[in-house]
Amino acid sequence: MSRLLLLSNGHGEDLSGALLGLALQRLGHQVDALPLVGNGHPYREAGLPLILRTREFSTGGLGYTSLRGRLTELVQGQVLHLLGGLVRLLKVAHRYDLVVVVGDVIPVIGAWLCRRPVATYLVAYSSHYEGVLRLPWPCGSCLSGRQSRLVFSRDQRSADDLSKQLGRPVRFLGNPFMDPVLKLQEPLPSCRRRLGLLPGSRRPELEQNLMLLLQVVERLPEPLISSGELALDLALVNSFPDPELAALVSQRGWQMNVSGELVQGGRRITLRRGCFGAVLQSSNLLLCMAGTAAEQAVGLAKPVLQLAGQGPQFTASFAEAQRRLLGPTVFCAEGPIGSPETLSATAQLALELLERSASDPQLQEQCRTEARIRLGTIGGGTRIAQAIDDQLHLCQEPLST
């Protein structure tokens, strides 16, 4: 049995890290976690020990955010918290046989500084963004060095690209964050068409996103919804309780009934908590204002319709980068953020995509193809964990302490 440390830096990265940690535990390894940003909730939910006191930040981590988001990161102390995490890493790294990085250049540098053997799941970068992946300095040097034992990418195109750039094998074995949603879920009640609403998980951005989504729903034909021909489902995190939700939506004339529905006239939205996977699997289209959730939807071969918000995370620039990452089955109406014209165009595009999802074989096949080449198949966490386990058994070099 080896002692392993998971090092990650973001909500989506924590989710992948937790799933990978559980897979490594099943292979008999002792696993601790050090989330450099965020509250590390996925690790707690998985029962993996944390070696650093965590904090919740509204932007979810240092990275692709708006200017306002970057200023928020500074005010909230994310930089100082990150530095504290790296200091903690340097103090405890000698206890571990292998550091498993899940993220981007920041944990890659941290793992390199602690002078331990490293396995890296480079989930934050993809060659789909620009065609050729340009790793930020000094990420490439760290991944090419002797400490770096294994490197995994998030898609095959990136694996091929990085293998040439780094002069070493880079493998694509799938994405752990796809494993939970690819498992068959109990389906939601059948209907002709189903639209899933994904406002994200971080507050207060979640509230802003939800108000925009409601305005899109208000522009959908009321008879289509009241007749039951189109079902609307809102996937919501438990950290946004019903009383606060009811108070928020009342600002736009919506009410929350005893059945857990948001109601405005003949329009109804069913609130779904704790069944995110079922919403993804049962929907014909996902109207999305989130990062990892959109990736999971594409991985399920579902078309995604974006609605850009004010941020700090899901901005127009983030949405545009996401389209380059996830490909042509992610759609977005043009226009200024939150304008009546953009909201109306989004509602119209939603109706078109709902119809195409059932009647357009070309779109259906394209969704399946993009799911396979960009996200991979179920079992990514297990395959990566097994590759790490194989490497630990093959490594004959004694580790200095």
Side-chain angles (χ1 to χ4, degrees), residues 197-384:
L197 307 176
L198 308 178
S201 60
R202 298 187 193 95
R203 304 181 67 181
E205 185 174 0
L206 165 59
E207 288 96 315
Q208 301 166 11
N209 291 349
L210 179 55
M211 295 298 273
L212 286 174
L213 290 175
L214 289 178
Q215 292 178 66
V216 173
V217 172
E218 291 164 10
R219 287 164 166 79
L220 296 174
E222 186 172 332
L224 193 66
I225 303 171
S226 60
S227 67
E229 188 173 353
L230 173 61
L232 304 174
D233 297 281
L234 174 63
L236 203 62
V237 292
N238 291 325
S239 60
F240 193 12
D242 286 353
E244 294 183 36
L245 174 63
L248 177 70
V249 300
S250 67
Q251 298 174 28
R252 290 208 57 83
W254 289 78
Q255 294 181 329
M256 188 171 181
N257 65 21
V258 294
S259 300
E261 295 176 318
L262 304 182
V263 181
Q264 186 197 69
R267 295 183 176 87
R268 293 177 181 270
I269 302 173
T270 303
L271 181 60
R272 306 283 184 184
R273 297 186 191 270
C275 52
F276 173 73
V279 171
L280 286 185
Q281 291 185 9
S282 299
S283 296
N284 301 99
L285 173 70
L286 284 308
L287 179 53
C288 191
M289 301 185 74
T292 302
E295 297 179 53
Q296 291 172 318
V298 170
L300 280 167
K302 304 287 184 177
V304 170
L305 175 57
Q306 297 174 322
L307 180 62
Q310 298 293 338
Q313 187 199 46
F314 206 79
T315 60
S317 61
F318 184 99
E320 190 274 333
Q322 189 180 75
R323 291 194 295 277
R324 285 186 278 125
L325 172 67
L326 299 178
T329 61
V330 179
F331 302 85
C332 188
E334 296 184 0
I337 293 174
S339 72
E341 295 78 14
T342 303
L343 297 170
S344 296
T346 300
Q348 182 59 42
L349 187 52
L351 294 173
E352 294 172 9
L353 290 171
L354 283 165
E355 187 60 36
R356 287 185 62 195
S357 68
S359 62
D360 186 344
Q362 185 176 355
L363 176 61
Q364 296 166 1
E365 179 59 30
Q366 191 174 38
C367 285
R368 289 190 290 267
T369 299
E370 298 300 329
R372 184 179 66 255
I373 66 175
R374 293 178 189 263
L375 280 308
T377 57
I378 192 170
T382 299
R383 290 189 289 272
I384 293 175

Side-chain angles (χ1 to χ4, degrees), residues 119-157:
T120 303
Y121 169 40
L122 207 61
V123 66
Y125 301 124
S126 172
S127 300
H128 284 290
Y129 282 120
E130 303 293 346
V132 176
L133 182 52
R134 294 176 175 83
L135 292 174
W137 181 88
C139 195
S141 298
C142 295
L143 296 175
S144 300
R146 185 170 175 268
Q147 281 177 247
S148 180
R149 303 296 172 87
L150 295 167
V151 181
F152 307 100
S153 71
R154 58 165 297 129
D155 53 65
Q156 188 60 53
R157 183 172 182 174

